[in-house]
């Protein structure tokens, strides 16, 4: 499993519309073989900056399975108009992951596989 | 809950030593009130680049609870020598998170709280 880290900087004033379009766009991800899960985050320091973190089975699940598919054309159709610039995308491998101090936390899924 | 996203670029040739020191350093995080969990990742495209993703109760858990504590001096003592430049640190809020396509996945923790 790998993590795609996409930094998405959007045009000023388009946050609400972008977030609505993302709700539609992530449905496309679910149709891709090798997709595991995603998290969408918004920067606190730079409010027009988002990060999309996607867990894929492999880099190829993302680059071949998704980016070369017709689904990716739909993805860019939904989101491309909001981009201030082309998102930067990296792929990362998990070295370590752990959850502790769960007292008071809102989930208790325990240790993750790496 | 918020996510700290730290980009850590290390000096060429120091990856193995850095990763060993990180194993010690993350023990410090566990001592901080408001620490939830972390993930350490290494870039596939840029091998001297790491990201540390840390879930905290709040931005203040990180900036006041950790960065202003004596633990942070230990942290920098363990890791500072490996940095090619000062790590860039952002804080992000969770907008959406979901796990699907879990067939074949190595964990089944279901939907996360946001």
């Amino acid at each position: 499993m790998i993590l795609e880290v996409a930094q998405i900087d959007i045009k000023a004033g388009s946050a609400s519309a972008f977030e609505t379009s993302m709700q539609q766009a992530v449905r496309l991800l679910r149709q891709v073989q090798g997709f595991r899960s995603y998290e969408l985050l918004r920067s606190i320091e730079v409010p027009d900056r988002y990060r999309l973190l996607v867990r894929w089975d492999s880099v190829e699940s993302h680059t071949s399975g998704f980016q070369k598919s017709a689904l990716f054309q739909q993805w860019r159709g939904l989101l491309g108009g909001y981009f201030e610039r082309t998102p930067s995308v990296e792929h990362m491998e998990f070295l370590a992951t752990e959850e502790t101090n769960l007292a008071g936390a809102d989930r208790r899924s325990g240790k993750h596989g790496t």
Side-chain angles (χ1 to χ4, degrees), chain A:
Chain A
M1 187 172 72
I2 63 96
L3 186 71
E4 172 199 351
V5 179
Q7 178 178 314
I8 304 171
D9 290 298
I10 65 166
K11 294 173 183 166
S14 66
S16 177
F18 167 74
E19 291 177 17
T20 300
S21 293
M22 275 296 299
Q23 289 177 10
Q24 295 179 260
V26 294
R27 291 179 201 150
L28 302 171
L29 296 180
R30 293 178 200 149
Q31 301 175 46
V32 184
Q33 183 77 26
F35 168 74
R36 296 279 194 101
S37 65
Y38 79 94
E39 292 168 305
L40 178 67
L41 302 109
R42 185 176 186 176
S43 172
I44 292 169
E45 288 89 3
V46 185
D48 290 326
R49 172 166 298 167
Y50 293 79
R51 277 206 173 75
L52 181 67
L53 307 179
V54 186
R55 287 166 171 74
W56 298 98
D57 281 349
S58 66
V59 174
E60 291 69 31
S61 304
H62 176 226
T63 57
S64 300
F66 180 51
Q67 290 187 320
K68 293 183 181 171
S69 74
L71 291 168
F72 190 68
Q73 299 306 314
Q74 294 180 53
W75 173 273
R76 290 306 282 258
L78 281 166
L79 300 176
Y82 300 108
F83 298 159
E84 179 68 18
R85 62 187 69 85
T86 303
S88 72
V89 175
E90 294 178 65
H91 301 97
M92 310 200 77
E93 58 176 337
F94 289 88
L95 298 185
T97 172
E98 188 176 340
E99 297 194 19
T100 57
N101 285 13
L102 284 168
D106 52 9
R107 59 194 175 109
R108 292 181 171 274
S109 56
K111 291 197 180 183
H112 291 175
T114 52

